[in-house]
Amino acid sequence: MFKKVHPKEDIASQSQVKSSVQRNIRTKLLDQMPELEKHLDELMPKKAALTVVKLREHISLVVVNGEVLFFNHFDEAYYPTLKLLHKYPALLPKLQVDRGAIRFVLSGANIMCPGLTSPGARMDVSLPEGRVVAIMAEGKEHALAVGITKMSTDDIRQVNKGHGVDTIHYLGDQLWKSLFE
Amino acid sequence: MTDAPKNVVYCGVCTFPPEYCEFGASLPRCQKWLEANHPDLFTALYSVGGNVVAGEKGALDELDSDSKKLAKAIGKEEAKLKRVQEKKASTMIVIKRIERTKKKRVTSVLNLEVFDVELKKAAKQFASRFACGSSVSKNNQNLEEIVIQGDVSEEVKAYILQTWKTIPEKNIQLIEEKKKKKPEEEV
């Protein structure tokens, strides 16, 4: 998603949102990531101004104190940024890809089923399709991408062909780079 | 999992967590950086089995073709880096004082972009620093330059040196450009 859209250059609008919208975002985030409950007050103090930055192609970023925490596409699920995910690894269910896949994921490829079913890979959780997941890698401690499942984990095991997870945000994409500027 | 946020070290060169540096083309520089800044992490990551370059145990065979590609990419990246550095060393930032009419002058600054300065932002900075108009424009050689209204060449030089510490003083050049075709001397 962030291969072409640049979070600094393609800003369509940027506004501090009113408290009701803020409340909406909070409940949505909590719905999606129950783990977040412990940290939410810390991440987004109720008093801090919450900014929603809208980019091209219907992407919006949730920014608190100048730090991008979450983003979403249209009005769909919220994804945490990788930096946030590294800090709180428990936010998302994890899928692990094998070593051979890392290189491709780092250049933005979607994750194919075989990369999730081979010996180096792990799928410890059972998930339906359309869930936001963290992509871990064999032998690595930290997540390397955030994606959304295109098939349920059972299907991934059975079919073992085609896209299993769409890569949304990965190490080294434009959003990642913008986090360090 | 633990409640407290995890502290993650990010590589100062390629911004990835260090364990992913090996997939980037800037690996040698990443290694150097890590060795200098986090020696404990460096030994943990890179000195498994005595093989310093490709890191992980056992994964070497399957990586063979990959590592060749990577080596190539590394070579390219190094060459690119060298080129950039050479260019930086050899280009001069030219600060030119140009006479508009007899008493009015503008100052133009060339080649700032070679040193990773964003021209638009720099122009804005100059404008607010010197309280004058300042803009980015293309000159007749189709190169981007910053034009500052008024004669501020000395001040610009000082300001550049002060703001962008990476720019060496010997790379800045002051030039005066007078109007031609005028027989009489400047008043």
Side-chain angles (χ1 to χ4, degrees):
Chain A
M1 194 189 286
F2 288 100
K3 230 174 178 178
K4 289 191 189 128
V5 181
H6 193 286
K8 287 271 156 70
E9 283 160 15
D10 296 317
I11 295 174
S13 81
Q14 186 174 3
S15 60
Q16 279 194 18
V17 293
K18 50 188 174 184
S19 59
S20 60
V21 180
Q22 198 167 335
R23 225 170 18 242
N24 263 339
I25 294 177
R26 278 166 164 271
T27 44
K28 235 179 152 179
L29 284 172
L30 283 180
D31 261 5
Q32 228 185 309
M33 296 172 256
E35 265 301 315
L36 194 62
E37 207 181 333
K38 299 175 217 155
H39 313 299
L40 197 61
D41 283 337
E42 203 177 308
L43 284 174
M44 300 186 190
K46 283 206 174 88
K47 288 202 177 127
L50 190 89
T51 316
V52 171
V53 179
K54 286 191 178 144
L55 303 180
R56 273 194 308 136
E57 295 181 15
H58 305 276
I59 300 169
S60 41
L61 311 175
V62 177
V63 182
V64 179
N65 292 334
E67 237 181 288
V68 184
L69 297 180
F70 302 95
F71 61 93
N72 73 344
H73 187 222
F74 283 103
D75 257 340
E76 291 158 15
Y78 280 94
Y79 305 93
T81 62
L82 273 168
K83 216 173 177 181
L84 187 74
L85 187 66
H86 286 158
K87 276 188 192 155
Y88 305 99
L91 285 185
L92 296 178
K94 298 182 183 63
L95 299 181
Q96 184 178 313
V97 295
D98 58 23
R99 210 186 136 78
I102 300 177
R103 203 157 54 90
F104 299 101
V105 178
L106 285 184
S107 51
N110 292 328
I111 293 149
M112 306 291 159
C113 291
L116 289 164
T117 50
S118 70
R122 272 166 66 182
M123 285 194 292
D124 295 337
V125 277
S126 169
L127 296 170
E129 106 175 63
R131 279 295 297 271
V132 181
V133 288
I135 310 295
M136 317 299 282
E138 178 186 359
K140 306 288 181 196
E141 185 190 350
H142 302 296
L144 84 159
V146 177
I148 188 160
T149 52
K150 281 283 134 188
M151 293 184 205
S152 67
T153 45
D154 292 340
D155 277 351
I156 291 177
R157 268 197 205 93
Q158 267 164 23
V159 181
N160 207 8
K161 238 182 204 170
H163 294 188
V165 178
D166 270 359
T167 307
I168 304 291
H169 167 41
Y170 55 93
L171 285 183
D173 67 1
Q174 298 289 2
L175 176 64
W176 174 259
K177 281 179 194 154
S178 78
L179 296 175
F180 286 89
E181 272 165 14
Chain B
M1 283 261 179
T2 43
D3 281 6
K6 243 191 201 174
N7 248 329
V8 182
V9 175
Y10 293 110
C11 172
V13 177
C14 64
T15 71
F16 289 6
E19 51 182 11
Y20 288 108
C21 281
E22 54 174 313
F23 293 97
S26 53
L27 177 61
R29 275 183 302 136
C30 294
Q31 280 177 333
K32 260 182 219 145
W33 179 87
L34 198 66
E35 196 173 15
N37 291 285
H38 300 275
D40 46 329
L41 272 174
F42 179 80
T43 40
L45 273 176
Y46 291 115
S47 56
V48 185
N51 193 328
V52 183
V53 177
E56 304 268 316
K57 13 163 177 163
L60 273 174
D61 324 331
E62 68 167 283
L63 259 180
D64 234 15
S65 66
D66 284 2
S67 61
K68 260 182 216 153
K69 264 184 209 161
L70 193 63
K72 213 171 159 191
I74 288 174
K76 261 188 193 165
E77 173 94 4
E78 296 285 281
K80 197 175 147 200
L81 213 73
K82 220 175 162 190
R83 267 207 309 281
V84 170
Q85 262 164 4
E86 264 166 25
K87 201 176 173 203
K88 271 188 189 171
S90 64
T91 37
M92 295 293 257
I93 291 180
V94 183
I95 300 175
K96 232 192 257 175
R97 190 163 75 159
I98 307 168
E99 207 165 76
R100 272 283 141 85
T101 63
K102 271 212 172 128
K103 271 177 146 180
K104 309 220 173 190
R105 292 174 183 84
V106 294
T107 313
S108 93
V109 184
L110 260 173
N111 288 340
L112 259 186
E113 75 278 4
V114 179
F115 295 86
D116 303 321
V117 176
E118 275 184 61
L119 291 184
K120 258 188 173 170
K121 274 185 195 157
K124 190 96 194 195
Q125 271 172 301
F126 289 148
S128 60
R129 178 73 174 75
F130 304 124
C132 65
S134 164
S135 66
V136 181
S137 64
K138 282 207 168 135
N139 64 5
N140 46 16
Q141 279 119 44
N142 228 2
L143 291 167
E144 301 244 289
E145 62 175 4
I146 298 178
V147 177
I148 311 166
Q149 292 176 10
D151 177 11
V152 285
S153 37
E154 288 294 330
E155 289 95 320
V156 164
K157 185 179 173 186
Y159 186 66
I160 288 175
L161 287 174
Q162 186 197 348
T163 343
W164 296 283
K165 303 274 185 206
T166 50
I167 301 176
E169 190 174 357
K170 65 173 170 42
N171 280 26
I172 299 183
Q173 204 175 28
L174 296 185
I175 290 183
E176 197 164 333
E177 188 177 282
K178 279 180 193 159
K179 266 207 170 154
K180 288 165 201 166
K181 285 189 271 171
K182 278 217 167 169
E184 82 254 17
E185 282 298 312
E186 204 186 335
V187 186

